[in-house]
Amino acid sequence: MSVLLSTDLPFPVFRRGKVRDVYDLGTELLIVATDRISAFDCVMPEGIPDKGRILTAVASYWFAATEDLVPNHFRGHPGWPAALEAHRKDLAGRAVIVEKTRPLPVECVVRGYLAGSGWKEYQAGGSVCGVALPSGLRLADRLPEPIFTPATKAEEGHDENISFERMAGIVGGELAVRLRDLSLALYRRGAELAARKGILLADTKFEFGLSASGELLLIDEALTPDSSRYWLADSWAPGQNPPSLDKQYLRDYLETLPDWDKQPPAPHLPEAVIQGIRARYLDLAGRFGID
């Protein structure tokens, strides 16, 4: 199966992220989700067939399901102007037009369960991003209430978990409170809808930006398997990592490699791992009825 690892379109490049290529259309942006996949902030040499189309469809689903909570930057799928016609096959299902914003320099992470870097922080000091948690919690335990645990957005290297107070110092106190409250509301909406499909939303991250008029918008992606940790509810048991429908499968594989120090260049992926990731992304989308 073919993969799309990069694009070269006849528009100015706004930025190239780990997964998305973004082009400048003036007051709007054209975002193309490639089939690239990253882990530990490194882009893998191989892509995952259909990944970009799956991410675009899942993000569109969640933008629509949460627009009553906060407006988002989505402005539609491209109408295929003449300059894009030659690229129609590659872009179909993976390109969207969004409003241009000024992205805020923080990631808004919400955790409903103890896993990942949160679990490591808890083991070290009994708290996550300055939020004290009850003693005796186990890996994958459900938290008493979802917690807001922001992080910095690193252009290079690893993101850093930070306290709410430090986030307030970066974006301002009033905006920090608003971002926290919106993120918690978005997580609860996602967790509620996922539970109806037999899925647990363990944690997720959101990104926000300010429009030219100063309106706060949800941007980038929302509740995708790239930005979230999804577990199968019927396989969840505290004390162990449950089977997931996200890229934790990739992280777990990479953790078994003794010779990779989680720095570029990333190792090549076996075909079985590539297909395992693809199957999990397709499974998640299918459970929400997303084609």
Side-chain angles (χ1 to χ4, degrees), residues 18 37-45 155-158 254 259-268:
K18 296 184 183 75
I37 191 166
S38 68
F40 304 114
D41 294 311
C42 293
V43 177
M44 302 293 111
E155 289 297 324
E156 295 183 3
H158 299 288
L254 295 172
D259 298 327
W260 187 52
D261 61 0
K262 299 178 183 175
Q263 299 296 324
H268 288 278

Side-chain angles (χ1 to χ4, degrees), residues 185-203:
L186 287 165
Y187 171 84
R188 291 189 174 99
R189 173 68 58 80
E192 176 187 349
L193 295 179
R196 297 178 188 174
K197 309 298 183 180
I199 306 170
L200 302 179
L201 176 59
D203 54 52

Side-chain angles (χ1 to χ4, degrees), residues 88-126:
R88 177 191 287 265
K89 181 179 179 181
D90 285 341
L91 299 184
R94 63 171 77 244
V96 295
I97 292 175
V98 304
E99 183 172 345
K100 186 185 291 185
T101 68
R102 177 169 63 85
L104 298 176
V106 291
E107 291 186 339
C108 295
V109 182
V110 181
R111 304 174 190 271
Y113 296 77
L114 198 53
S117 63
W119 168 241
K120 293 178 181 178
E121 273 196 52
Y122 174 78
Q123 286 180 297

Side-chain angles (χ1 to χ4, degrees), residues 4-288:
L4 181 69
L5 292 180
S6 64
T7 61
D8 182 18
L9 302 180
F11 300 103
V13 175
F14 186 79
R15 67 183 293 266
R16 293 189 191 274
K18 296 184 183 75
V19 173
R20 291 167 177 80
D21 291 347
V22 185
Y23 294 89
D24 196 331
L25 303 182
T27 60
E28 297 178 319
L29 300 173
L30 174 69
I31 298 182
V32 183
T34 72
D35 294 326
R36 298 191 296 265
I37 191 166
S38 68
F40 304 114
D41 294 311
C42 293
V43 177
M44 302 293 111
E46 290 81 19
I48 309 301
D50 300 315
K51 177 176 176 285
R53 293 187 176 93
I54 297 168
L55 288 185
T56 301
V58 172
S60 297
Y61 171 90
W62 284 112
F63 280 144
T66 59
E67 61 187 354
D68 61 316
L69 298 176
V70 58
N72 59 70
H73 69 168
F74 182 73
R75 295 296 174 265
H77 297 277
W80 302 116
L84 283 179
E85 186 59 36
H87 307 274
R88 177 191 287 265
K89 181 179 179 181
D90 285 341
L91 299 184
R94 63 171 77 244
V96 295
I97 292 175
V98 304
E99 183 172 345
K100 186 185 291 185
T101 68
R102 177 169 63 85
L104 298 176
V106 291
E107 291 186 339
C108 295
V109 182
V110 181
R111 304 174 190 271
Y113 296 77
L114 198 53
S117 63
W119 168 241
K120 293 178 181 178
E121 273 196 52
Y122 174 78
Q123 286 180 297
S127 64
V128 181
C129 295
V131 179
L133 296 173
S135 61
L137 294 178
R138 297 158 294 176
L139 173 65
D141 253 331
R142 180 184 285 116
L143 300 176
E145 293 289 338
I147 59 173
F148 179 70
T149 59
T152 58
K153 285 169 57 176
E155 289 297 324
E156 295 183 3
H158 299 288
D159 298 335
E160 177 190 354
N161 292 345
I162 59 176
S163 66
F164 176 79
E165 290 72 23
R166 183 174 168 194
M167 173 184 163
I170 295 172
V171 302
E174 183 177 342
L175 182 54
V177 169
R178 190 175 176 198
L179 291 172
R180 179 193 63 195
D181 293 349
L182 282 174
S183 298
L184 288 167
L186 287 165
Y187 171 84
R188 291 189 174 99
R189 173 68 58 80
E192 176 187 349
L193 295 179
R196 297 178 188 174
K197 309 298 183 180
I199 306 170
L200 302 179
L201 176 59
D203 54 52
T204 192
K205 68 177 180 181
F206 303 105
E207 296 192 33
F208 295 88
L210 297 174
S211 70
S213 64
E215 183 181 21
L216 184 65
L217 300 177
L218 179 63
I219 66 170
D220 193 52
E221 59 182 327
L223 297 158
T224 71
D226 265 17
S227 64
S228 311
R229 199 183 309 266
Y230 283 107
W231 293 336
L232 297 173
D234 59 5
S235 301
W236 170 67
Q240 61 186 13
N241 273 321
S244 65
L245 298 178
D246 53 65
K247 66 178 179 180
Q248 186 60 42
Y249 178 77
L250 171 59
R251 298 188 195 100
D252 290 345
Y253 164 73
L254 295 172
E255 291 279 14
T256 69
L257 303 180
D259 298 327
W260 187 52
D261 61 0
K262 299 178 183 175
Q263 299 296 324
H268 288 278
L269 301 180
E271 184 63 22
V273 172
I274 292 171
Q275 294 304 323
I277 298 167
R278 180 176 183 270
R280 284 160 174 79
Y281 278 47
L282 286 171
D283 189 353
L284 177 73
R287 288 169 187 258
F288 286 105

